[in-house]
Amino acid sequence: MKGREGVIGRVRAWRHDWHKRSKLQRIDLYSRVTLCSVTWFLALSWGFLPLLTTLDRGPAAMTLAGAFLAVNITQSVVSNLNVTAAYAHYRGVEPFPARRLRLSAVLLLATTVLLVALAASDAVQGEELILLVLGLPVAFSVPYVLLVPVRSFLLRSAAFGLIVVGLLAAVGLPGEQLLGASVSLLVVALLVLVSARPSIWSLTVMWQAEEARHMQARLAVAEERLRFGRDMHDVLGRNLSVIALKSELAVELAQRGNPAAVDQMIEVQRIARASQQEVRDVVRGYREADLPTELMGARGVLQAAGIAVTVEGADGPAGIGAPAAVQAALGWVVRETVTNVLRHGDPSHCWIRLSRTRDAVVLEVENDGAGADGGPGPDGGSGSGLAGLGERLGAIGGSVSAGPAGDDRFRVTATVPLDARVPDAPSGLTAPTDPTEER
């Protein structure tokens, strides 16, 4: 019973780990597992089945066959261990240690010698020998094709083929079988080349595209920060300089007993209050952007992250035509929910829908890739995003709900009455953080 529970637990852990991976990570894992599986498939078919003919050909033939099979299996294990490192080398992540290739080369030499010995002793003949030749270099070639240029791989494969055919000719293999061995070695070299290298090349291109999307999103956030910094500098820079100069003048006048110092400080006070109001206006522009602006910003950020966006209903009275107070509230919902779409799950598509009832506007933000368990809530299970939205909309008579929507989707629904009057933002609510920092 405990054994079965342990197996079930491991299966659940594997399933959970699989769902935690992004789509690109799943493709990456699938491709590498496929390469490793091809090695074992050929080792246990072309490299094993022909050896069954040695069972009735004496102890020497059986011993050679057993040694060949053991070395071939060892070569497959070493090849699987080298695939990930060779892939990292191909992507330019880290260089492949040359020492790891030495053992594989020694094992290839050993299987070649054993194959020639099997042919010399007539332990395997005809089609069985051709099948062994066909699977001979596969385990070594799968990682090796990722380590060298295509031209070098083809030239070295041709040189290896000439050596094998020469050794087989030296032990008296007939010309017909030599031709078959030559064709087999050529076919397997091309097979490995056109199957392994294009697959890994495609993965590399996808990873580069993913990194470019992340960089684009980070650049968009950096550009917005620079814009905010420029606005703050334009608002405060001149006023602070004037305040500093008038304060110095007031100090000098006060030291001389000149009553004009009071007039200068009154002017400083006026400028300081005006600066406070200007700062509030700048911050309000970022915190209370209207709905069309937020929808355009959401589309740009999501598309920069490689997520397709569909916006429905934004061109009617429920969208741009809604009252300014309603737009401000819904704009905050769009900003917060889009941030959480980027943070959680592995979405490939996001739907933003606006609709109007008799007395309210309804906004739905839905995304796929939420995971088998429906995905985390808008606050990720630990933050205050959902609670903050609920408090903000509750203050104007609105509401917000969130939860799984089926088919691996997650949906946030916000309702705002058309007669809403948005109060000042609660002090506890701050502008959303950079969505790329928690991806």
Side-chain angles (χ1 to χ4, degrees):
M1 189 68 178
K2 291 183 178 180
R4 191 176 74 173
E5 292 178 354
V7 171
I8 294 175
R10 285 194 294 271
V11 171
R12 288 177 176 173
W14 292 337
R15 182 172 176 269
H16 180 69
D17 180 68
W18 175 258
H19 283 292
K20 284 175 58 179
R21 296 175 182 268
S22 67
K23 289 183 175 64
L24 185 52
Q25 288 174 332
R26 294 176 189 177
I27 295 173
D28 185 298
L29 178 62
Y30 172 79
S31 299
R32 286 187 281 118
V33 169
T34 299
L35 287 179
C36 295
S37 300
V38 167
T39 300
W40 283 103
F41 175 78
L42 298 181
L44 298 178
S45 57
W46 296 350
F48 171 68
L49 295 179
L51 298 177
L52 295 177
T53 60
T54 63
L55 295 178
D56 57 354
R57 295 181 182 175
M62 293 176 60
T63 301
L64 288 173
F68 181 89
L69 180 61
V71 175
N72 204 11
I73 290 175
T74 305
Q75 176 75 295
S76 298
V77 173
V78 173
S79 174
N80 287 176
L81 295 175
N82 287 339
V83 163
T84 299
Y87 172 45
H89 175 90
Y90 184 83
R91 286 186 58 198
V93 176
E94 58 182 352
F96 184 87
R99 65 181 182 277
R100 297 187 63 168
L101 204 60
R102 295 171 190 163
L103 176 59
S104 189
V106 170
L107 292 172
L108 178 61
L109 176 62
T111 52
T112 302
V113 171
L114 289 169
L115 176 65
V116 173
L118 286 168
S121 63
D122 290 330
V124 288
Q125 301 172 351
E127 295 178 355
E128 291 83 4
L129 181 61
I130 299 303
L131 286 176
L132 291 179
V133 172
L134 195 61
L136 180 64
V138 171
F140 177 85
S141 299
V142 167
Y144 187 69
V145 74
L146 305 178
L147 303 176
V148 296
V150 174
R151 179 184 176 87
S152 298
F153 176 77
L154 291 175
L155 290 175
R156 293 170 188 178
S157 296
F160 174 75
L162 291 174
I163 293 173
V164 173
V165 172
L167 291 174
L168 292 175
V171 298
L173 202 68
E176 182 180 349
Q177 294 189 27
L178 290 176
L179 178 60
S182 302
V183 173
S184 296
L185 290 169
L186 174 63
V187 167
V188 77
L190 295 176
L191 178 64
V192 170
L193 179 62
V194 301
S195 60
R197 193 152 183 131
S199 299
I200 301 303
W201 175 80
S202 300
L203 275 176
T204 302
V205 171
M206 286 190 285
W207 276 116
Q208 291 173 347
E210 183 75 6
E211 292 166 1
R213 284 194 292 268
H214 289 172
M215 180 61 69
Q216 187 176 8
R218 288 193 293 269
L219 289 175
V221 173
E223 183 178 356
E224 182 66 13
R225 287 173 173 170
L226 288 174
R227 185 169 74 87
F228 185 83
R230 287 194 300 268
D231 290 349
M232 293 298 293
H233 179 271
D234 293 341
V235 167
L236 293 179
R238 178 182 60 83
N239 289 354
L240 289 176
S241 297
V242 174
I243 288 173
L245 290 174
K246 286 188 172 292
S247 297
E248 292 175 2
L249 178 59
V251 169
E252 293 180 1
L253 293 174
Q255 289 174 345
R256 298 174 185 175
N258 192 328
V262 176
D263 296 332
Q264 294 297 325
M265 291 308 300
I266 291 174
E267 181 67 11
V268 167
Q269 186 181 47
R270 184 191 67 78
I271 296 173
R273 288 176 176 172
S275 299
Q276 286 180 327
Q277 184 59 44
E278 290 176 351
V279 170
R280 291 192 190 100
D281 292 340
V282 171
V283 173
R284 186 177 297 112
Y286 280 85
R287 291 172 58 108
E288 303 294 346
D290 61 3
L291 183 57
T293 301
E294 289 300 328
L295 289 173
M296 287 189 294
R299 185 189 298 272
V301 171
L302 291 171
Q303 289 178 343
I307 303 172
V309 185
T310 300
V311 180
E312 303 173 2
D315 55 348
I320 296 176
V326 176
Q327 290 194 40
L330 293 178
W332 182 269
V333 176
V334 171
R335 187 183 301 183
E336 180 68 27
T337 52
V338 167
T339 298
N340 289 315
V341 168
L342 293 171
R343 284 178 179 173
H344 307 301
D346 181 29
S348 61
H349 201 124
C350 178
W351 296 265
I352 302 175
R353 306 184 188 95
L354 283 158
S355 59
R356 183 173 179 171
T357 62
R358 185 171 59 87
D359 55 0
V361 177
V362 179
L363 169 69
E364 292 181 343
V365 180
E366 183 177 324
N367 64 276
D368 60 6
D373 57 351
D379 58 356
S382 59
S384 58
L386 180 58
L389 287 177
E391 292 174 2
R392 188 173 181 84
L393 297 185
I396 59 174
S399 63
V400 63
S401 61
D407 295 331
D408 204 29
R409 294 187 179 186
F410 192 84
R411 181 187 301 154
V412 177
T413 303
T415 303
V416 179
L418 287 172
D419 58 354
R421 294 292 182 268
V422 181
D424 292 336
S427 59
L429 290 177
T430 59
T433 57
D434 175 1
T436 64
E437 292 177 354
E438 299 190 30
R439 272 185 62 75

